[in-house]
Amino acid sequence: MNAVWVVDDDQSIRWVLERALQRDGFEVRAFGSAKDCLSALETDAPKVLVSDIRMPGQSGLELLQQVKARRPGMPVIIMTAFSDLDSAVSSFQGGAFEYLPKPFDLPHAIELIRRAVIESDREAAADEGVLDAPEMLGQAPAMQEVFRAIGRLSQSNVTVLITGESGSGKELIAQALHRHSVRAPQPFVALNAAAIPRDLLESELFGHERGAFTGAQQMRRGRFEQAEGGTLFLDEIGDMPPELQTRLLRVLSDGHFYRVGGHQPLKANVRVIAATHQNLEERVRQGLFREDLFHRLNVIRLRLPPLRERGEDVPLLARHFLARSARDLGVEAKRLSEEALARLCAFSWPGNVRQLENVCHWLTVMAPAQVVEAKDLPPEIQPMSGAAVPVKPWATPFEHASSGLVTDVPASTAGTMLAVGGAESSSLATSAMTASWAAPATLGGLGEVPAIVDAPSRWASLLETEVSKLLAAQSARGEPAPESSDLMDQLTRTFESTVIRSALRHTRGRRIDAALRLGIGRNTITRKIQDLGLEDDA
């Protein structure tokens, strides 16, 4: 049933719309006042309501308010001959689907009503899914594999290592592992090794005794003690300093630790779940991560793919985030047009699920209408920003490192809110270069400047010239090819410093904003700022 109700005190408007809609196959009921419409709503409801804004008795805005209170998902189109700003703003603040000024073009009005009916059907289907919304979302086969892995681990206390790019949802997986374990009644405590200064990390992890160092005026329990009986989630474990790696290995080996400045051993009854966006095997080869600690952590591995490998779940995630943002802000949830949804699905999402969540929050605040069109999407999602990003042809969400058991999921099927597979390492340089080639740059309110698609003929050629000079200088000195050189490291640090410093200047020191614009995680930019000595710029 394609039922449309028309409310207008002008009989001629009612007659014209009623006849036109009936010719297009819609079932129509017309009312001369808001009161008559509200009475009919007691026993029936349309798919779409079209109402005048100024009528004797209750106004269209008052009708809109009462309809939204009773049936929040029903699209309401507001008509008015008074095309003023206050009416438009009031309509959209009240949750109107669209604002239609009189006199209107009849074919345009019918097309708008048809879109509203389609949206009403979509909203009804979405509501059915929301009624029984699971704690984690994902319909792709790879996500189902992760669900199965969590189920298999539900009765186990084994250590789990979660790998995946920043923003892919590693902490959500850790929380799910805790919630479905025998330790669920006990605390879940998280610590991010990249977000805490090195000199404070040991105290945060193990606690300290009073007087252990300057400023330690009282005894403090660390995360291991806070998580007693429960789960300790160590995020960005690859960034843990070598001296703390040794202490963590001791805890995992014999289950005992000391507070900083303490002499009494404490027993740790904690399940450890670790996560990293880095390739730990490579860091072991580089001598940056203890091999014995890696094997202690790498008992069961869950790998999460980047969002670009699970595009089939973008619609589900987008609806979820739009609904959550609307609930947090106390407004009606925005809806995505087919074109807008297609553009989101085609985007490469360098910031992964976290970036999609931020985009949905931006749309909830900034999109001008209830239905988000493609033109309403933020600049980074517009054409030229969704360039294809090469991905690895594999995704392995569940591995048992000790037994060699690996459950492979082809990359073509990988997908979901949290899950699965994909590259373990993600450097700032790669993310920034991808973003630079893919996305049009913007400079505040100056609009778009040309995308860096011709980079080889610009700064890349300058970089090539500079590298050639440096290599030529080595040869000019008559030096043989060195056994080791830090040239690559110097160039990489210069590149990363320049990119981050420029982003921080653009965002006036706002790190999270800078990370989003570069397509990297907030933990990554914090770590890089520390490693590159850019604190003064932040």
Short mmCIF file of all heavy atoms in Angstrom, two decimals, residues 419-447:
data_model
loop_
_atom_site.label_atom_id
_atom_site.label_comp_id
_atom_site.label_asym_id
_atom_site.label_seq_id
_atom_site.Cartn_x
_atom_site.Cartn_y
_atom_site.Cartn_z
N ALA A 419 35.71 -6.58 11.47
CA ALA A 419 36.50 -7.72 11.16
C ALA A 419 37.31 -7.52 9.95
O ALA A 419 36.92 -6.83 9.10
CB ALA A 419 35.54 -8.84 10.95
N VAL A 420 38.33 -8.01 9.74
CA VAL A 420 38.99 -9.25 9.72
C VAL A 420 40.09 -9.15 8.71
O VAL A 420 39.87 -8.63 7.67
CB VAL A 420 38.06 -10.37 9.29
CG1 VAL A 420 38.79 -11.64 9.15
CG2 VAL A 420 36.90 -10.51 10.22
N GLY A 421 41.23 -9.71 8.96
CA GLY A 421 42.25 -9.83 7.95
C GLY A 421 42.89 -8.53 7.56
O GLY A 421 42.84 -7.55 8.23
N GLY A 422 43.53 -8.53 6.41
CA GLY A 422 44.15 -7.31 5.93
C GLY A 422 45.56 -7.16 6.42
O GLY A 422 46.08 -7.97 7.17
N ALA A 423 46.23 -6.11 5.97
CA ALA A 423 47.62 -5.89 6.31
C ALA A 423 47.78 -5.58 7.78
O ALA A 423 46.99 -4.88 8.36
CB ALA A 423 48.18 -4.75 5.48
N GLU A 424 48.83 -6.10 8.36
CA GLU A 424 49.06 -5.85 9.78
C GLU A 424 49.72 -4.51 10.00
O GLU A 424 49.55 -3.88 11.03
CB GLU A 424 49.96 -6.93 10.36
CG GLU A 424 49.25 -8.24 10.56
CD GLU A 424 50.14 -9.21 11.29
OE1 GLU A 424 50.77 -8.83 12.30
OE2 GLU A 424 50.24 -10.34 10.88
N SER A 425 50.53 -4.05 9.05
CA SER A 425 51.26 -2.82 9.28
C SER A 425 50.69 -1.71 8.44
O SER A 425 50.17 -1.92 7.38
CB SER A 425 52.74 -3.01 8.94
OG SER A 425 52.87 -3.35 7.58
N SER A 426 50.79 -0.50 9.00
CA SER A 426 50.27 0.67 8.30
C SER A 426 51.12 1.85 8.68
O SER A 426 51.06 2.31 9.80
CB SER A 426 48.81 0.91 8.68
OG SER A 426 48.39 2.19 8.28
N SER A 427 51.96 2.34 7.78
CA SER A 427 52.83 3.46 8.12
C SER A 427 52.16 4.77 7.81
O SER A 427 51.27 4.85 6.97
CB SER A 427 54.13 3.35 7.32
OG SER A 427 53.88 3.62 5.96
N LEU A 428 52.60 5.78 8.50
CA LEU A 428 52.06 7.12 8.24
C LEU A 428 52.35 7.54 6.82
O LEU A 428 51.52 8.13 6.16
CB LEU A 428 52.68 8.12 9.22
CG LEU A 428 52.35 9.59 8.94
CD1 LEU A 428 50.86 9.80 9.06
CD2 LEU A 428 53.10 10.49 9.88
N ALA A 429 53.56 7.22 6.34
CA ALA A 429 53.90 7.65 5.00
C ALA A 429 52.94 7.06 3.98
O ALA A 429 52.48 7.74 3.07
CB ALA A 429 55.34 7.22 4.67
N THR A 430 52.63 5.76 4.11
CA THR A 430 51.71 5.11 3.18
C THR A 430 50.34 5.75 3.25
O THR A 430 49.72 6.05 2.23
CB THR A 430 51.60 3.61 3.51
OG1 THR A 430 52.89 3.03 3.41
CG2 THR A 430 50.66 2.93 2.53
N SER A 431 49.83 5.97 4.49
CA SER A 431 48.51 6.57 4.64
C SER A 431 48.46 7.95 4.05
O SER A 431 47.52 8.32 3.35
CB SER A 431 48.12 6.63 6.13
OG SER A 431 48.10 5.34 6.68
N ALA A 432 49.49 8.76 4.35
CA ALA A 432 49.48 10.14 3.87
C ALA A 432 49.62 10.20 2.36
O ALA A 432 48.97 11.00 1.70
CB ALA A 432 50.60 10.93 4.54
N MET A 433 50.47 9.33 1.79
CA MET A 433 50.62 9.34 0.34
C MET A 433 49.33 8.92 -0.34
O MET A 433 48.89 9.50 -1.33
CB MET A 433 51.75 8.40 -0.09
CG MET A 433 53.14 8.96 0.20
SD MET A 433 54.41 7.83 -0.36
CE MET A 433 55.87 8.81 -0.03
N THR A 434 48.69 7.87 0.21
CA THR A 434 47.41 7.42 -0.35
C THR A 434 46.39 8.53 -0.30
O THR A 434 45.70 8.80 -1.27
CB THR A 434 46.88 6.20 0.44
OG1 THR A 434 47.85 5.16 0.38
CG2 THR A 434 45.58 5.72 -0.15
N ALA A 435 46.33 9.21 0.86
CA ALA A 435 45.37 10.30 0.98
C ALA A 435 45.71 11.43 0.03
O ALA A 435 44.83 12.05 -0.55
CB ALA A 435 45.35 10.81 2.42
N SER A 436 47.02 11.71 -0.17
CA SER A 436 47.41 12.81 -1.03
C SER A 436 47.05 12.53 -2.47
O SER A 436 46.57 13.40 -3.19
CB SER A 436 48.92 13.04 -0.90
OG SER A 436 49.27 13.42 0.42
N TRP A 437 47.28 11.32 -2.93
CA TRP A 437 46.95 11.00 -4.31
C TRP A 437 45.44 10.87 -4.50
O TRP A 437 44.92 11.10 -5.57
CB TRP A 437 47.62 9.69 -4.73
CG TRP A 437 48.87 9.92 -5.50
CD1 TRP A 437 48.99 10.12 -6.83
CD2 TRP A 437 50.19 9.97 -4.97
NE1 TRP A 437 50.31 10.31 -7.16
CE2 TRP A 437 51.07 10.21 -6.06
CE3 TRP A 437 50.73 9.85 -3.69
CZ2 TRP A 437 52.44 10.31 -5.91
CZ3 TRP A 437 52.09 9.95 -3.55
CH2 TRP A 437 52.94 10.17 -4.64
N ALA A 438 44.72 10.48 -3.43
CA ALA A 438 43.30 10.15 -3.61
C ALA A 438 42.37 11.32 -3.40
O ALA A 438 41.33 11.37 -4.00
CB ALA A 438 42.91 9.04 -2.63
N ALA A 439 42.72 12.26 -2.51
CA ALA A 439 41.73 13.22 -2.06
C ALA A 439 42.08 14.63 -2.48
O ALA A 439 43.22 15.03 -2.45
CB ALA A 439 41.61 13.17 -0.53
N PRO A 440 41.06 15.43 -2.87
CA PRO A 440 41.31 16.82 -3.15
C PRO A 440 41.65 17.57 -1.88
O PRO A 440 41.00 17.39 -0.87
CB PRO A 440 39.97 17.30 -3.74
CG PRO A 440 38.97 16.36 -3.18
CD PRO A 440 39.67 15.05 -3.03
N ALA A 441 42.68 18.39 -1.93
CA ALA A 441 43.05 19.15 -0.74
C ALA A 441 42.12 20.34 -0.59
O ALA A 441 41.57 20.84 -1.54
CB ALA A 441 44.50 19.62 -0.88
N THR A 442 41.93 20.78 0.66
CA THR A 442 41.14 21.97 0.92
C THR A 442 41.92 22.88 1.84
O THR A 442 42.69 22.42 2.67
CB THR A 442 39.79 21.64 1.58
OG1 THR A 442 40.05 20.98 2.81
CG2 THR A 442 38.96 20.74 0.69
N LEU A 443 41.74 24.15 1.66
CA LEU A 443 42.41 25.13 2.50
C LEU A 443 41.37 26.00 3.16
O LEU A 443 40.94 27.01 2.60
CB LEU A 443 43.37 25.99 1.66
CG LEU A 443 44.59 25.27 1.06
CD1 LEU A 443 45.35 26.23 0.18
CD2 LEU A 443 45.47 24.71 2.14
N GLY A 444 40.93 25.58 4.35
CA GLY A 444 39.94 26.36 5.09
C GLY A 444 38.74 26.67 4.24
O GLY A 444 38.10 25.81 3.68
N GLY A 445 38.38 27.94 4.14
CA GLY A 445 37.21 28.33 3.36
C GLY A 445 37.55 28.66 1.93
O GLY A 445 36.73 29.22 1.20
N LEU A 446 38.77 28.37 1.45
CA LEU A 446 39.16 28.73 0.10
C LEU A 446 38.67 27.75 -0.94
O LEU A 446 38.90 27.93 -2.12
CB LEU A 446 40.70 28.85 0.02
CG LEU A 446 41.32 29.91 0.95
CD1 LEU A 446 42.82 29.92 0.76
CD2 LEU A 446 40.74 31.28 0.65
N GLY A 447 38.03 26.68 -0.49
CA GLY A 447 37.52 25.69 -1.44
C GLY A 447 38.59 24.71 -1.83
O GLY A 447 39.67 24.65 -1.26
#
